[in-house]
């Protein structure tokens, strides 16, 4: 498992290139709007930290992603002047594919179960370095810098709500928060249609859902499952999980636009939907890369 020192070191590495997002008041609680990052999502933190520490990046980097990690790796690779090859599933929103290409990355579209295999093949073919979306200590440490910032800005915080999928974000945030403040509750938020971590915590062991089952949720960035590494963090550090329905997720997207003036993708609004169930605390708005047509539909019909 990563340590607080890993997170603090990551904070130093990434500070010149990320936005230190503020805490925004929202109802009885607060928002941490990572949607304001240059690539529109928290993923930039982990990608920057991981790529900066690579010793063999001359031949480029490879990543697999449903969208936000893809953009983060493409951004970090461009910053360091190395080529990036990104493998994306064929159910990725077009807005995320085009944004990744615009950052200079070479994009490969594959079936939803073929991402890892294709990425590993590219690594072998090119001698490139793989930067996974969550299953890596440097990626997790980078995401954990969000936890440091929350505690610095709101020392008396009682609860932090974090969206979960592969688990890199909540693993890093929980490490930072629980090491410094054991009394703060770290709550995971999941779509009910992709609630494998909730099932896992109830079972006391990692429970696997079929990828097609997880793909039902509109929260496209939350369709992954934890790795053994992230599950180790989650099982030891996360206090509880709240699941939310598709309607609750889309309502949160609309509410964020109207009340907080924030554009959030469905995955980015999941923690806010969970926060609404109990009020208070800090909800991490993890991303804002929503398909424009979906946003229009949500605002028109809610």
């Amino acid at each position: 498992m990563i340590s607080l020192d890993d997170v603090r070191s990551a904070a130093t590495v990434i500070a010149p290139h990320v936005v230190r997002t503020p805490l925004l008041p929202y109802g009885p609680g607060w928002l941490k709007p990572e949607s304001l990052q240059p690539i529109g999502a928290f993923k930039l933190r982990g990608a920057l930290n991981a790529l900066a520490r690579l010793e063999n990046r001359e031949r480029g980097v490879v990543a697999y992603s449903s969208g936000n990690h893809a953009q983060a790796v493409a951004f970090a690779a461009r910053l360091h002047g190395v080529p990036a090859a990104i493998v994306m599933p064929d159910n990725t929103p077009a807005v995320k594919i085009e944004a990744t290409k615009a950052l200079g990355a070479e994009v490969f579209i594959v079936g939803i179960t073929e991402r890892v295999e294709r990425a590993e093949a590219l690594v072998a073919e090119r001698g490139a370095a793989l930067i996974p979306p969550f299953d890596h200590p440097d990626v997790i440490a980078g995401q954990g810098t969000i936890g440091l910032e929350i505690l610095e800005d709101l020392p008396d915080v009682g609860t932090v709500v974090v969206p979960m999928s592969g688990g890199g974000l909540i693993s890093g945030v929980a490490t930072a928060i629980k090491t410094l403040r054991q009394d703060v509750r770290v709550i995971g938020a999941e779509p009910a249609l992709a609630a494998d971590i909730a099932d896992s915590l109830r079972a006391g062991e990692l429970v696997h859902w079929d990828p097609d089952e997880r793909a039902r949720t509109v929260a496209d960035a939350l369709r992954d499952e934890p790795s053994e590494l992230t599950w180790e963090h989650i099982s030891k550090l996360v206090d509880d999980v709240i699941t939310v329905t598709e309607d609750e997720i889309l309502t949160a997207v609309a509410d964020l636009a109207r009340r907080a003036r924030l554009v959030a993708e469905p995955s980015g609004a999941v923690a806010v939907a969970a926060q609404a169930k109990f009020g208070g605390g800090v909800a991490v708005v993890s991303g804002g890369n929503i398909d424009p047509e979906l946003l229009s539909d949500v605002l028109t019909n809610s």
Side-chain angles (χ1 to χ4, degrees), residues 7 14 16 32 56 63 70 78 84 93 129-130 153 169 199 206 222-223 235 240 255 287:
V7 180
I14 71 174
K32 179 71 167 168
N56 61 329
R78 186 175 68 175
L130 179 67
D153 291 348
L169 174 58
D199 276 0
L206 203 50
L222 302 184
R223 294 169 176 165
S235 61
D240 200 0
D255 286 349

Side-chain angles (χ1 to χ4, degrees), residues 6 9-11 13-14 44-54 76 137-143:
D6 295 326
S9 176
V13 168
I14 71 174
L44 186 59
R45 296 173 182 262
L48 283 168
N49 188 50
L51 200 149
R53 297 176 188 279
L54 284 176
D138 292 336
V139 172
I140 294 171
Q143 323 304 25

Side-chain angles (χ1 to χ4, degrees), residues 211-222:
D212 289 327
E213 214 175 348
R214 298 194 308 270
R216 295 173 300 164
T217 179
V218 69
D220 60 273
L222 302 184

Side-chain angles (χ1 to χ4, degrees), residues 200-232:
S200 298
L201 287 171
R202 281 191 292 266
E205 62 182 4
L206 203 50
V207 173
H208 299 282
W209 283 33
D210 185 274
D212 289 327
E213 214 175 348
R214 298 194 308 270
R216 295 173 300 164
T217 179
V218 69
D220 60 273
L222 302 184
R223 294 169 176 165
D224 270 313
E225 64 178 355
S227 64
E228 293 294 336
L229 176 61
T230 56
W231 170 244
E232 185 176 8

Side-chain angles (χ1 to χ4, degrees), residues 250-269:
L250 295 177
T251 296
V253 170
D255 286 349
L256 284 168
R258 294 189 174 116
R259 294 170 51 199
R261 276 68 64 189
L262 286 176
V263 173
E265 61 191 279
S267 306

Side-chain angles (χ1 to χ4, degrees), residues 35-142:
S35 52
L36 301 181
Q37 292 295 344
I39 58 97
F42 77 95
K43 290 282 192 178
L44 186 59
R45 296 173 182 262
L48 283 168
N49 188 50
L51 200 149
R53 297 176 188 279
L54 284 176
E55 296 180 356
N56 61 329
R57 61 185 183 220
E58 297 82 9
R59 296 186 180 181
V61 293
V62 173
Y64 53 90
S65 167
S66 60
N68 289 332
H69 180 65
Q71 294 171 71
V73 171
F75 183 101
R78 186 175 68 175
L79 182 70
H80 287 276
V82 299
I86 312 293
V87 181
M88 307 178 79
D90 54 16
N91 61 349
T92 300
V95 65
K96 295 184 177 182
I97 296 173
E98 294 309 314
T100 304
K101 290 179 178 178
L103 287 165
E106 184 181 9
V107 173
F108 299 84
I109 306 299
V110 300
I112 61 173
T113 62
E114 301 168 16
R115 294 182 306 164
V116 177
E117 181 181 359
R118 185 71 179 98
E120 290 175 345
L122 285 168
V123 168
E125 291 168 10
R126 303 181 178 192
L130 179 67
I131 301 180
F134 50 84
D135 190 27
H136 195 287
D138 292 336
V139 172
I140 294 171

